[in-house]
Every structure is written in structure tokens, then in C-alpha cells.
Amino acid sequence: MAIEITTAEKRLLQRVSIPPRPQTLLTVSSEAKKDEPDVGVIAESISADMSIAAAVLQVVNSAAYRRAKEVDSIQQAVMTLGFRRVFPIVRAVALKSALTSDYDLNEFWRYNEWVASACVLVAESIGRPELRDHAYMLGLFQSSGIPVMLAEFDDYADLLNASASTPWPKVQIKEQELFQTTHTTIGALLAQHWKLPKIVVEVIYYLFEDSSIFTHSSELDSLTLDLLGILKIARYAVDMRTRSLAGEEEWEQVQDGVLEHFQIDEFKVEEILQIVHEELFDAEA
């Protein structure tokens, strides 16, 4: 899949500021490419950035990962979970730290953190536990184009605020009309620039397609559709507690395709929603 951008988008992207990858991520990625990565070097590099280290520990000890014993150091996290499982989490929280804005992003990141954690729970609930770490990274970065849009366009905050009560496919129409691009296109290009996995780039790009992406798609392979379906259920679960009317309308547009793809029914989805709500929201109450 190639990201398709218009001539207007090409001109726009020439002036869009894409944040560089954080140094911690560059160091860890470089070590990961070696035939025998040094766990000590990796742990030391992560630990050197206190904000990233704290965020990684928060994730591995969260309800979504449900560890029997709390992990209290990066070294322990790498040794216990294994580098292949820790790396997507490190990549996610490191890149989050690079996305800043004059706009208050606290609610934005809280929503995406809920979705990321819900993605882990959904992946396990539908029998795809091997996808949970990539699903977490995808949940956190599904909307990564939004901080860039906020930085580039003074009026974008009004559109973002409207998304609380307006389904995102409708918001995207306004994005294209007002800014000649969408946050999913910018987010996919950002993920591509940061060298995130191809499947993550693709899901971000196709995030708000309707059910036809599952039933008639020649664009995406089965694994990518798995991640897209996981994200759709996770968003639906979180939306039912945060933006229920808009979220319900978004879910209705993809429900048939997601259910058919995973060969599950509405009762299974309700069961998953209950698990997510109990783990992420009711436990906080």
C-alpha cells in the first residue's frame, strides 16, 4: 500500500514540521538491529530518560498487561517481558514525548492511552494475544496526526472539539475541505517517517473506512485487518464511556465488517466491552 496524497497535500507537507525521533528511540533501535542486542545497553538507554522510563513502567504495570508482580525497573521489564515485547512500548511512549503542542493535549492523550490499553484487552479477548504489543502502539498513535494539525492550523482546535459529538468520518470531510488534508494522512506519514511497522502505518491511514474495508478490500492483508478490527472494537469500548453518540455512529459503520472478519457476534462484542470497562474505568471509580 502506498499512501496517496494530492498535489495540494504535497505542497502542504513541504511546510509541515514533522518532529524527529527521540534520541532514546534512536539508540534502542540501533541496538535492536544487532544480531545479539545487549539488554544492558537497552535498559540503560531507556532508564537515562526519566520520563520515558516512567511511562514504560506505567504501561507494563497497567491493568491491560495485568502482571501478577509489579515490575519496578526497566532492567526487570526487559528481562521479564523480553526485548521484543518491550520495544513497541518504548517506541510508543518515546514518540508520544516528541508530539507537543500549545494546545492542552491532556485529554487527547488520556483518550489514546485508554484506547491503547483497550487494544491489549481486545487482542487477548479475541484470541490474538501475539498482537497486543503492536495493538498498544497503534492505539496510542492512531491519532498522531492531530498534534501536527494543531501546530499547523490555528482553526484546527475548533474541529477537534467538535469531534466529541461528531463522528470522525464526518470530521474528516471538514478536515479535507478546510485544510486540504486529514489527520489520518498526516498521521500515516508521521508513522512512516518514524519507521513504525508498515501495518501500523496502514491502519492509521485507513482508520475511518467503513465495513467495506473488511469485506471487499484488496488493499490490506489479513494481519493488518486484524489490527484495524482490534482498534475499532477498542475505540468503541472507550467511546461508550467518553463520546457515546458519536462513537455509536462510528461503530455502526464498521460493525458488520468487524464481526464478519473475526467471526464473532454482538454478544461477544458486549462481553469484550464489559471487560474493558471493568479493567479501565470501573477499577478507577
Side-chain angles (χ1 to χ4, degrees), residues 55-69:
V56 170
L57 291 177
Q58 183 180 16
V59 172
V60 299
N61 287 312
S62 68
Y65 280 80
R66 291 180 289 190
R67 302 208 57 75
K69 184 178 179 181

Side-chain angles (χ1 to χ4, degrees), residues 167-170 207-214 232 246-258:
W168 268 106
K170 292 181 179 178
L207 181 56
F208 295 114
E209 296 291 321
D210 60 23
S211 273
S212 63
I213 196 69
F214 291 94
K232 289 292 190 182
E248 186 71 53
E249 188 171 334
E250 287 177 24
W251 174 246
E252 288 173 356
Q253 294 182 18
V254 297
Q255 173 178 303
D256 292 344
V258 173

Side-chain angles (χ1 to χ4, degrees), residues 100-113:
T100 59
S101 172
D102 292 335
Y103 184 85
D104 186 353
L105 293 176
N106 286 335
E107 288 300 315
F108 168 81
W109 284 120
R110 191 177 191 196
Y111 175 84
N112 284 281
E113 286 164 0

Side-chain angles (χ1 to χ4, degrees), residues 147-163:
V148 179
M149 297 286 278
L150 284 167
E152 290 296 320
F153 304 110
D154 293 337
D155 298 336
Y156 191 79
D158 294 334
L159 206 56
L160 178 59
N161 291 334
S163 68

